[in-house]
Amino acid sequence: MAEPLIPYITLPEIPLGFLLDVPVLGKLFDPAHPPSIKPFGTLVALGVYIGSVITMHRAKERNLDTKKMNEFIFWVVAAGFIGGHVLDAIFYHPQRVARDPLYLLMLWDGLSSYGGFIGAIIGCFAYKFIKREKVLAYADVVVATFPIAWIFGRAGCSVVHDHPGRLSDAWFAVRYPMGSGWVGRYDLGLYEFFLTIPLAIIVTLLWRRGPRPPGYFTGIICMAYAPVRFLLDFFREEEGASMLGGDPRYGGLTPAQWACFGLFAVGAYFTFVLAKDKSANADGAPPAAGKKKRKKKARPVESTPAEQSSSESDGAAEQES
């Protein structure tokens, strides 16, 4: 009989209790809950940092403006974190928001991946319209680097086990502690961590093969992630089914599953519609309005000596007549 083989791995927090003794600073913390370095936040921050460094390096490879790239990253990441928490609070914890609307401002307490995606898209368009810049090339570099940063984010989820799945005896289930023993359960954060690694490798290899049309990586990554996430969410624990918590269902699907339809549509647009339009313009597009081809002036034909003497004699005859 099969049984779960994956151990329940956690990383300890690094205590920073000495900060309570620092004048002024110590008053900012609750003595009952001293500050500490948490593994999830550390891994997410590390992913953002490494992703930003690689993105800047790739922007230089494609001869993009590094100053604009740096500004664009800030807008997208900041909006992503805001959207990640706000949409997580609204769709996953609506009762808590109803009790305490200020929970929407507690950006450190809970993040949703799709909320982060939507927030990043809003940040992208906000930068485009406020700065009046073309952003597709910059956005595609960020998206091409995203799987590398996502590995660290999902590694954080896997060590805090904040995406519990249904009970299972499958060999790839995780041995969640329960009383003095354990129980087998799917761990969706861990599975997504492992699945992101090959995606990051494939995208990196595609990047190294040379420049691609703007929007290329956005298309393939959206179309690759959406169906995988859609299937994985069927293994998630339902809300209220256990003490570990779970995801609510709307029409039988999780909020992330509903968002998968939109993400896949975005990927299909970039992969098929936008790429087709760009290839059509590149192959046989008419000249842009206001730009007319200049007609070449006819060069005068040089006459032979015989023709010149004939014309001169004809002119003389005309004068005599």
Side-chain angles (χ1 to χ4, degrees):
M1 181 177 178
E3 65 175 20
L5 299 178
I6 302 179
Y8 186 89
I9 299 174
T10 59
L11 294 179
E13 298 183 8
I14 301 176
L16 299 176
F18 66 90
L19 294 178
L20 295 174
D21 300 325
V22 177
V24 181
L25 184 61
K27 296 181 179 180
L28 301 177
F29 302 105
D30 182 3
H33 301 88
S36 62
I37 298 177
K38 295 176 173 55
F40 175 78
T42 302
L43 287 168
V44 169
L46 186 61
V48 171
Y49 174 74
I50 292 176
S52 299
V53 172
I54 296 175
T55 300
M56 293 299 297
H57 176 72
R58 290 181 172 181
K60 293 178 182 178
E61 290 181 349
R62 297 296 187 261
N63 296 319
L64 296 176
D65 189 316
T66 54
K67 181 180 178 181
K68 292 179 181 178
M69 185 80 258
N70 197 34
E71 292 178 347
F72 182 76
I73 292 173
F74 174 79
W75 281 67
V76 169
V77 172
F81 272 103
I82 294 173
H85 173 71
V86 171
L87 294 181
D88 175 80
I90 293 174
F91 289 104
Y92 289 92
H93 309 285
Q95 298 85 358
R96 183 170 179 179
V97 174
R99 293 194 308 267
D100 182 15
L102 292 179
Y103 175 61
L104 293 172
L105 303 179
M106 301 178 185
L107 302 181
W108 60 90
D109 190 1
L111 291 172
S112 163
S113 56
Y114 267 107
F117 297 161
I118 295 172
I121 293 173
I122 294 174
C124 175
F125 280 102
Y127 180 84
K128 173 182 174 64
F129 290 113
I130 293 176
K131 296 289 186 176
R132 299 183 182 276
E133 296 282 355
K134 294 181 178 180
V135 299
L136 185 55
Y138 295 92
D140 212 39
V141 177
V142 172
V143 174
T145 311
F146 172 75
I148 298 175
W150 195 241
I151 291 174
F152 291 89
R154 281 312 189 200
C157 295
S158 68
V159 297
V160 297
H161 306 277
D162 59 349
H163 296 290
R166 302 177 186 271
L167 295 175
S168 173
D169 290 330
W171 68 265
F172 53 88
V174 175
R175 298 185 175 190
Y176 275 69
M178 182 177 181
S180 59
W182 53 267
V183 62
R185 187 181 293 277
Y186 296 123
D187 192 329
L188 283 306
L190 177 66
Y191 303 154
E192 201 167 313
F193 162 70
F194 282 118
L195 291 173
T196 305
I197 294 174
L199 176 63
I201 294 173
I202 292 171
V203 172
T204 300
L205 293 176
L206 289 173
W207 176 272
R208 291 182 176 178
R209 292 182 64 181
R212 304 279 175 167
Y216 173 83
F217 290 103
T218 301
I220 63 172
I221 290 177
C222 288
M223 293 186 68
Y225 180 77
V228 173
R229 177 62 187 272
F230 185 84
L231 293 175
L232 284 177
D233 266 32
F234 283 115
F235 298 96
R236 284 184 180 270
E237 183 67 279
E238 293 191 27
E239 187 178 35
S242 70
M243 296 297 292
L244 296 176
D247 290 0
R249 300 303 198 267
Y250 298 92
L253 300 177
T254 66
Q257 285 178 311
W258 285 110
C260 284
F261 292 110
L263 188 68
F264 189 85
V266 170
Y269 171 78
F270 278 100
T271 302
F272 300 109
V273 179
L274 189 63
K276 184 178 180 180
D277 291 343
K278 287 184 177 295
S279 61
N281 291 334
D283 292 339
K291 294 183 179 180
K292 297 182 179 180
K293 293 183 177 180
R294 294 183 179 179
K295 294 183 178 180
K296 295 182 179 179
K297 294 182 179 180
R299 297 176 62 185
V301 180
E302 297 181 359
S303 57
T304 63
E307 290 174 340
Q308 291 177 357
S309 60
S310 175
S311 62
E312 290 175 356
S313 63
D314 291 343
E318 289 178 357
Q319 290 177 358
E320 291 176 355
S321 63

